[in-house]
Amino acid sequence: MDQAHQGQGIGRQLMNVVMSDAGNRVLQLVATKAGLTLYQRCGFREQYGIGQHQGTLTQIPPFSPRPDTLLRAVSRADLDTICDLDAVAFGANRRPVVRAVFDAGGGVGVLAHRNGRIAGFALARPSGRGTLIGPIVAQDEALAIALIAYQLKATNGFIRVDIPKNAVYLGEWLEAAGLTCVDTVTAMVRGDVREERVESRVFGLVSQALG
Ligand SMILES: CC(C)(COP(=O)(O)OP(=O)(O)OC[C@H]1O[C@@H](n2cnc3c(N)ncnc32)[C@H](O)[C@@H]1OP(=O)(O)O)[C@@H](O)C(=O)NCCC(=O)NCCS
């Protein structure tokens, strides 16, 4: 929003319309520092920080994937499975978003199998100054690192990945790769979230706007 229009209640009015349309559904968003107060006033709670890692790759730091992990390039035939896994990890069905990312990246991505089952994936697409890796969905940080490393080997130039800051080991690994954390934003939620134990987690955002 243009600076001249900030602080006049427009953000609050826009949020009121969205929240009213959403009814009693659980809502999640990613807040910049500037937006945090507005969202708190709207009943959103802070969940965790999200680190914006970016730069040019200096090295692929050592990592040790589980021996039963198999990685391969994604294909269009994997899209339904990928979308199902994403929905479990993200907590909502965002099939059109995942399909749009797949198309925007020309189908570039990696899929992980463990014990014959799909255990994670990462997509990549051109964005901003280079390539953005995301979404990244995986069973654990070690797998997320293996997926990112696979993708990094096939990527040149400027790279960006937005990760949850509670994935500490992943963050340190990205720093060692030359992808430094340049900013931190905040994942927020409104409504009663069921703390169910899901098998997969989001380790890389589609974008800060889309989660
Ligand atoms: C952040 C932004 C969306 C807020 O919209 P806005 O129209 O300026 O906010 P409002 O005037 O509706 O204020 C909403 C509430 O938040 C409070 N608030 C907003 N910005 C605040 C700030 N910087 N510090 C303290 N309180 C603030 C207001 O006091 C108001 O509280 P109230 O309803 O209890 O009176 C807008 O300023 C903006 O676009 N900023 C730059 C871009 C950006 O960072 N966007 C956020 C993306 S997550």
Side-chain angles (χ1 to χ4, degrees), residues 1 5-12 30-32 34-35 37-39 41:
M1 190 187 298
H5 297 107
Q6 293 175 20
Q8 295 174 23
I10 298 171
R12 184 62 196 246
V30 176
T32 59
T37 311
L38 166 64
Y39 304 130
R41 300 272 164 91

Side-chain angles (χ1 to χ4, degrees), residues 49-55 129 132 158-165 174-175 179-185 208:
I50 290 167
Q52 177 180 338
H53 286 259
Q54 62 188 45
R129 293 154 65 185
L132 191 149
F158 187 86
I159 295 159
R160 173 171 170 177
V161 196
D162 292 82
I163 66 157
K165 293 202 82 152
L174 289 172
E175 294 281 342
L179 306 180
T180 51
C181 184
V182 297
D183 193 20
T184 297
V185 290
Q208 290 184 0

